Amino acid sequence: QVQFVESGGDLVPPGGSLRLSCEASGIISSLYTRGWYRQAPGKQRELVAGITRGGATAYADSVKGRFTISRDNAKNTVFLQMNSLTPEDTAVYYCNTNPHRYGWGQGTQVTVSP
């Protein structure tokens, strides 16, 4: 059974930073392109960052230059470093493969507020 466990979300003020982690089990993470997604209240889930097996990265325009995705294949884990956070980044953040092939984890809540 494939599972994703996200962590690292918190309440931070605008301009703050967070580092999210996502550990996968049940798959060999290194075989997949991985992605970070987010879902804000009342909105559809969206892909914000992806990283290929070779380490190439891509970002949604809304986070480009502020977010950095990385991976540690030995730990089956992907990370999302988020800097210069704004209230528009408030959402539940999830990870999965890219495109997503498996069920969603519980996600981790990121709230950006003064």
Side-chain angles (χ1 to χ4, degrees):
Q1 182 179 1
V2 178
Q3 288 187 318
F4 300 102
V5 179
E6 301 91 349
S7 62
D10 206 344
L11 169 64
V12 295
S17 297
L18 283 174
R19 186 178 192 236
L20 307 184
S21 300
C22 172
E23 184 174 0
S25 60
I27 60 170
I28 301 174
S29 179
S30 61
L31 298 180
Y32 296 88
T33 293
R34 298 288 304 276
W36 277 100
Y37 303 75
R38 69 184 180 187
Q39 187 166 21
K43 295 187 178 181
Q44 289 191 333
R45 193 167 356 226
E46 62 173 346
L47 176 68
V48 296
I51 184 166
T52 68
R53 293 184 297 171
T57 59
Y59 301 92
D61 287 344
S62 59
V63 307
K64 200 172 295 183
R66 300 187 298 121
F67 289 11
T68 303
I69 187 172
S70 60
R71 66 192 300 164
D72 183 338
N73 290 332
K75 297 182 179 180
N76 255 11
T77 300
V78 293
F79 304 97
L80 188 68
Q81 177 66 42
M82 306 188 296
N83 298 327
S84 302
L85 286 162
T86 74
E88 289 68 39
D89 296 316
T90 295
V92 180
Y93 284 71
Y94 304 87
C95 71
N96 209 302
T97 56
N98 178 24
H100 79 271
R101 301 170 184 262
Y102 302 103
W104 298 100
Q106 292 191 332
T108 187
Q109 176 71 50
V110 172
T111 303
V112 185
S113 179

